[in-house]
Amino acid sequence: MTLLIERRGEFAVESVSLDAIAQRFGTPCYVYSKAALVDAYSRYRRAFADHEHRILYAVKANSNLAILKLFNNLGSGFDIVSGGELARVLAAGADPSRIVFSGVGKSQSEIVQALAARIACFNVESEPELERVSRLATDCGVRANVSLRVNPDVDARTHPYISTGLRQDKFGIPHEQALALYRKANQLPGVRIAGIDCHIGSQLTTAAPFAAAFERVIALADALRSEGIAIEHIDVGGGLGIRYRPEDEPPSIEQYVHALTSRLGERRLSIMVEPGRSMVGNAGLLLTRVEYLKATPERSFVVVDAAMNDLIRPALYDAWHEIRALNHRSPEAARLCQVVGPVCESGDFIGRDRTLALEADDLIAVLSAGAYGMSMSSNYNSRPRAAEVIVDGDRAHLVRARETIAELYARESFLPE
Ligand code: LLP
């Protein structure tokens, strides 16, 4: 679905003009389309058809309560990585039997919190974590369902910071140690083996690494079965890439799901997926306004009111987001420019070397910002976090109010005099 549309000379998300949103809620502001969110979930759902499956939205991509509740109402489950995310999904009304807990560093209190909530499964990443889960579950008088997260040693060919399935990464249990750890899990009193888990990275733009990882994991499932350890599901994690540039061609949701289901053969295994970016990434944009045009002898800067604290992806991963000027200036007025924020760092850019026709006060849309935008935002430079708005048809709903400055230091105190 195309998020930003131009109709009768106006730029809009669904049927609400971005000009109206900027007037009403101010900038910077994240704007999401409810229809695009529903569409992404529905495509996953339809692609699995009647294959046994579970879609577990990866909360870290965008953890706004309204988005969680929307996915929950559609039937989605959730992949969480912290006690904070657990509290969020429960606050959004999630059924604990549709929650799995991933992550390499689950603390005792997080595990206890998840046991008390009776979540569906822990994706365990190491032997000491397995022992800890078993011990805490025994203390609580329950058995915890577990999957071991296997590191299949597959190159996801993505940015090194978001690649997780190589031997040298901190994630998962090395493939060759997995069988031994499953045997151990099978003996532990506090756990019940439910599945196998893997996740090889994020923003993958070809299906081949998913297929390679899946095949390795299926082989492990077969080996376990021959030892009498039957598993019920394979969780393949998330990672499906989205189109940031027009020329990007990641597999579609349908192709991705087919690459999985077609490899199962006769095996009666449920497939779990943990999509984050592909559920929300192209359903949201960051709306920002030009503060100044500033020309130096070297370059032309467009200083906007959004910064790296609002959207850190360009600074952190050198990520490219399409930037659209929401005006009707003549193309002849377009200049090569650097779109930068007000934060005091040269790494504070939204886009470099863009050709845009802009003047002060113009609005700009930064596209594909629905995933890892707001959820990675900070208060750096004591900047209040942006507002978030979901458009549903011709209505715009504020789903997170802009932070106030007083909130930023409300928890701080002075030393005694
Ligand atoms: N499951 C696990 C265990 C994960 O670690 C992740 C993402 C996902 C699922 C969801 O992956 P997705 O479908 O969104 O690719 N901040 C980075 C992305 C970090 C991804 C971390 N893990 C970025 O802005 O590109």
Side-chain angles (χ1 to χ4, degrees), residues 39 49 71 75 109 133 212 215 228 247 257 279 289 306 333 362 366 388 410:
D39 181 61
F71 286 146
S109 69
V133 170
E215 278 175 3
E247 64 269 28
V257 171
M279 294 269 277
R289 200 181 279 285
D362 283 358
V366 184
E388 289 179 290

Side-chain angles (χ1 to χ4, degrees), residues 1-5 7 11-22 24-25 29-39 64 66-67 70 283-285 287 387-400:
M1 272 186 70
T2 311
L3 180 65
L4 179 66
I5 49 183
R7 199 183 313 130
F11 295 92
V13 165
E14 298 195 23
S15 302
V16 180
S17 92
L18 288 168
D19 207 42
I21 289 179
R24 187 168 152 207
F25 303 107
C29 178
Y30 277 98
V31 184
Y32 312 107
S33 153
K34 179 179 168 193
L37 295 164
V38 172
D39 181 61
N64 184 284
I67 291 180
L70 176 65
L285 58 79
L287 185 63
E388 289 179 290
V389 168
I390 298 185
V391 176
D392 179 12
D394 59 2
R395 307 192 56 181
H397 303 278
L398 182 67
V399 292
R400 178 176 167 127

Side-chain angles (χ1 to χ4, degrees), residues 58 60 79 162 199 202 238-239 274-277 313 317 372 376:
K60 62 170 81 68
D79 169 54
I162 54 175
H199 169 79
S202 195
E274 301 170 356
R277 192 188 314 264
R313 303 193 71 258
Y317 315 112
Y372 306 108
M376 294 180 80

Side-chain angles (χ1 to χ4, degrees), residues 285-413:
L285 58 79
L286 175 60
L287 185 63
T288 173
R289 200 181 279 285
V290 177
E291 293 281 2
Y292 303 103
L293 299 188
K294 171 174 174 175
T296 70
E298 291 294 319
R299 291 158 124 193
S300 291
F301 293 95
V302 175
V303 186
V304 299
D305 64 6
M308 66 191 286
N309 74 295
D310 300 299
L311 180 67
I312 201 171
R313 303 193 71 258
L316 191 57
Y317 315 112
D318 215 3
W320 193 95
H321 285 259
E322 185 170 344
I323 296 178
R324 296 276 289 275
L326 307 182
N327 61 31
H328 295 95
R329 300 192 186 284
S330 129
E332 276 114 69
R335 304 261 177 287
L336 186 68
C337 61
Q338 314 299 319
V339 181
V340 301
V343 159
C344 308
E345 300 218 18
S346 293
D348 179 28
F349 60 89
I350 303 288
R352 291 192 284 199
D353 300 327
R354 305 301 172 92
T355 305
L356 295 163
L358 285 164
E359 295 292 339
D361 287 335
D362 283 358
L363 283 173
I364 283 179
V366 184
L367 302 186
S368 312
Y372 306 108
M374 187 64 179
S375 63
M376 294 180 80
S377 65
S378 76
N379 294 121
Y380 189 39
N381 278 209
S382 286
R383 290 170 49 86
R385 258 178 280 229
E388 289 179 290
V389 168
I390 298 185
V391 176
D392 179 12
D394 59 2
R395 307 192 56 181
H397 303 278
L398 182 67
V399 292
R400 178 176 167 127
R402 185 178 307 287
E403 276 172 345
T404 65
I405 287 175
E407 282 172 308
L408 299 187
Y409 50 83
R411 305 183 65 81
E412 297 172 27
S413 45

Side-chain angles (χ1 to χ4, degrees), residues 15 151 181 242 273 314 383:
S15 302
N151 182 330
L181 201 57
I242 61 166
V273 286
R383 290 170 49 86

Side-chain angles (χ1 to χ4, degrees), residues 163-234:
S163 172
T164 53
L166 283 174
R167 297 182 73 76
Q168 62 265 31
D169 294 325
K170 72 175 172 180
F171 297 98
I173 292 149
H175 192 253
E176 65 280 7
Q177 295 172 13
L179 205 51
L181 201 57
Y182 267 105
R183 289 185 191 122
K184 173 164 181 171
N186 208 22
Q187 305 298 321
L188 288 175
V191 299
R192 185 184 153 273
I193 295 169
I196 307 180
D197 173 48
C198 76
H199 169 79
I200 56 173
S202 195
Q203 184 54 18
L204 271 69
T205 50
T206 61
F210 289 121
F214 195 53
E215 278 175 3
R216 293 204 109 178
V217 170
I218 289 180
L220 177 60
D222 291 345
L224 288 169
R225 172 170 295 276
S226 69
E227 295 204 9
I229 304 176
I231 61 149
E232 292 142 23
H233 72 253
I234 293 182

